[in-house]
Amino acid sequence: MSTEHDSLRQDIVEIGRRLWTRGFVASNDGNISVKIGADRLLCTPASVSKGFMTAEMMVITDLDGKLVSGAPGRKPSSEIQMHLVAYRERPDVGAVVHAHPPLSTGFAVAGIPLDRAVLAEVVTTLGSIPIAEYGTPSTRELAESVAPYVKAHDGLLLANHGALALGRDLFGAYYKMETIEHFAKISLVARMLGREHLLSREEVERLQALRGTYGIAAPAPICPDPSPAGAANADPSCQVIFAPSAPGERLVPDTSVASAPGPVSVGTDGEIRLTYAQLNELIDEAVRQLAATGRH
Ligand SMILES: [Zn+2]
């Protein structure tokens, strides 16, 4: 059966299949939308697994989320509100992908934004990935919580919920979702290993200049101020990236993650840093030894 916007419908089916195959969604989680006109969106319907959709299932809404057309019984996902805010705030955005990838969602649950200058390709493409404040899923509250962040970011975490990616087209948005999850995975491994070397502020500035050279359309420049990691960033004009200044250096050892679980870390200053668990173990061992000494 030939349907209107058939190739876009097929793209949504394919992206849904990839989200499900990669474990970025469980059950009927996630939603995908693409702009097909000044006041029209093609989007995934409510209550379907993203791994097993068909082209005919998709629904068309206006930019207020009102159903325009769709197969009988199909209605838009209630989380479409979040997509509408992204289209409203960013006229350059043509597609939105929302999912619950486990590693990025883990960072969103822990309240740790992905805003450290760690990977060059993330700095040049997404910049920072902040966390939008928690809002009850499917409500206006959640939609409004993402509004300040989507102005300057193509990727964001949703506190205790998931992740959101914006793109010029469907695959552009989907690939950003892949990058967010991949970045979360690498960040987690580095922190479990007990250290994380950061790109220096100067290197970040070099990468920022490359954005223009490669024609990468970032929604906003990187903020010049090296704000502390984890700082709330609802600044709509630039992206806050944690990158310490170190003139002449491209990489900067960062010891601020030494309190994360992992092996005993020795800072570049020679100082040994222990986790609470490691410190408790040492104290327990000392007490055991004292007790043993007392018995002899
Ligand atoms: Zn969700």
Side-chain angles (χ1 to χ4, degrees):
M1 170 182 143
S2 157
T3 48
E4 214 188 348
H5 311 291
D6 199 45
S7 78
L8 290 175
R9 289 169 184 267
Q10 292 297 346
D11 285 350
I12 294 178
V13 168
E14 173 60 19
I15 287 168
R17 196 185 62 78
R18 293 190 196 187
L19 289 174
W20 183 83
T21 307
R22 298 186 69 117
F24 287 8
V25 288
S27 182
N28 296 333
D29 299 342
N31 26 76
I32 305 160
S33 70
V34 61
K35 220 168 166 183
I36 53 170
D39 189 31
R40 288 291 179 273
L41 293 178
L42 180 66
C43 39
T44 48
S47 312
V48 297
S49 166
K50 301 303 159 303
F52 304 89
M53 296 187 294
T54 61
E56 294 75 22
M57 282 183 182
M58 306 310 157
V59 296
I60 293 176
T61 71
D62 63 16
L63 281 185
D64 289 323
K66 211 163 99 292
L67 182 67
V68 173
S69 67
R74 298 284 178 203
K75 56 183 177 50
S77 158
S78 51
E79 280 186 329
I80 199 70
Q81 296 290 339
M82 203 163 47
H83 298 231
L84 302 176
V85 166
Y87 292 115
R88 191 183 71 210
E89 299 291 339
R90 291 275 304 281
D92 61 311
V93 163
V96 176
V97 172
H98 164 58
H100 303 168
L103 293 158
S104 0
T105 306
F107 276 82
V109 168
I112 303 171
L114 292 165
D115 61 356
R116 291 167 160 248
V118 174
L119 299 171
E121 74 273 17
V122 175
V123 172
T124 48
T125 55
L126 281 160
S128 64
I129 303 159
I131 305 179
E133 290 79 19
Y134 180 77
T136 307
S138 309
T139 63
R140 290 290 311 163
E141 181 192 35
L142 172 62
E144 291 311 322
S145 83
V146 307
Y149 295 92
V150 293
K151 288 176 184 156
H153 302 88
D154 280 347
L156 50 138
L157 304 179
L158 310 170
N160 293 64
H161 180 171
L164 189 71
L166 283 51
R168 286 185 173 187
D169 53 36
L170 277 167
F171 275 92
Y174 169 70
Y175 289 137
K176 280 175 188 153
M177 183 61 78
E178 277 194 355
T179 300
I180 294 170
E181 181 66 353
H182 200 60
F183 182 27
K185 190 183 273 184
I186 292 167
S187 296
L188 179 65
V189 170
R191 292 177 195 195
M192 285 171 81
L193 292 171
R195 65 186 70 185
E196 192 173 30
H197 289 181
L198 303 180
L199 301 172
S200 68
R201 169 90 2 206
E202 291 70 22
E203 180 65 7
V204 165
E205 279 160 15
R206 249 178 243 125
L207 293 169
Q208 156 112 320
L210 287 179
R211 281 179 165 184
T213 312
Y214 292 123
I216 297 163
I222 292 162
C223 302
D225 175 34
S227 300
N233 176 24
D235 184 339
S237 66
C238 63
Q239 304 177 334
V240 172
I241 294 186
F242 182 61
S245 182
E249 300 287 326
R250 296 204 170 194
L251 286 177
V252 187
D254 176 47
T255 51
S256 64
V257 292
S259 61
V264 175
S265 101
V266 181
T268 45
D269 51 5
E271 194 178 318
I272 295 172
R273 292 174 173 80
L274 300 173
T275 64
Y276 277 117
Q278 288 163 339
L279 182 62
N280 279 335
E281 227 168 81
L282 282 177
I283 294 169
D284 286 348
E285 177 59 24
V287 170
R288 270 196 300 274
Q289 291 212 357
L290 267 178
T293 313
R295 277 200 297 272
H296 291 299

